Amino acid sequence: MTNKPTSQTIAHIHTPFPEKFSVPRQPGLAAHAEGIIKPYGDYDYLAAFSGIEQHSHLWLLFEFHHNAESQWQAQVRPPRLGGNQKVGVFATRSPFRPSNIGLSAVKLLAVNHEPYFHLVVAGADLVDNTPIIDIKPYIPYCDAISDATSSLAPSAPQPSLSVVFSEPASHFMDHNATSYPNLRELISELLGFDVRPAYKKQKADAKIYASRLYDLDIHWRVRDNCVVVEKIVRYCP
């Protein structure tokens, strides 16, 4: 296996996801997952972004920076197939790729100039501080292909678990709504898709999981096809 090529970073995106666990597996699945794109270095240049607000959505090309030291794999086990069937890496969107490059479409919410120039986007499926190597407008007439098909992923996934919140978790969200707006909706969007490893879904699972969002630890378990969010606490490394 050869070394992965490097690409020029033009920006970084800041998202609610400090770690890979619980990050949405595709863009748009968590509509309340907002990201802030901050141009980097020589690319922090307003003229380069002039007119970008004319587009409702953007393509982000980015680097899977958490996989920088990992070897690419010729075959992978897509979660969509339950993690039990191997297919070629180029038939999937696996992050373990020779080029280490990802592609996501996000919704452009705002172009802000205070306290610094940045773009606000929604539906991001990227880990916090992911390097962005290019930004392109999403053009509906050529990017949305009406007769496109995929037998691997023929339709959008649907949440498989309901999500409920304990009294302590609800208390935390109610008393921190200003600091963490839409936290309940975001947690529900993420955990409803059952982010556990595939092998954990086939048997009784009493484990309490912790998903990191912002600077928070979300503690939850699965009981009777329902995610129970037990508590929400400040992350303490």
Side-chain angles (χ1 to χ4, degrees), residues 23-98:
V23 173
R25 289 184 175 139
Q26 297 295 344
L29 294 182
H32 289 89
E34 293 190 6
I36 293 177
I37 299 175
K38 177 68 174 67
Y40 173 77
D42 293 340
Y43 306 98
D44 190 1
Y45 186 52
L46 295 183
F49 294 87
S50 176
I52 199 169
E53 67 280 356
Q54 298 176 84
H55 308 285
S56 67
H57 291 73
L58 303 172
W59 287 112
L60 304 181
L61 279 78
F62 60 91
E63 180 184 354
F64 288 109
H65 63 304
H66 281 205
N67 297 341
E69 303 303 321
S70 302
Q71 293 287 345
W72 73 277
Q73 302 174 24
Q75 290 199 313
V76 296
R77 301 176 187 269
R80 192 66 181 250
L81 298 178
N84 298 317
Q85 181 179 339
K86 285 186 176 182
V87 296
V89 64
F90 297 121
T92 75
R93 298 191 181 189
S94 167
F96 298 98
R97 318 186 68 79

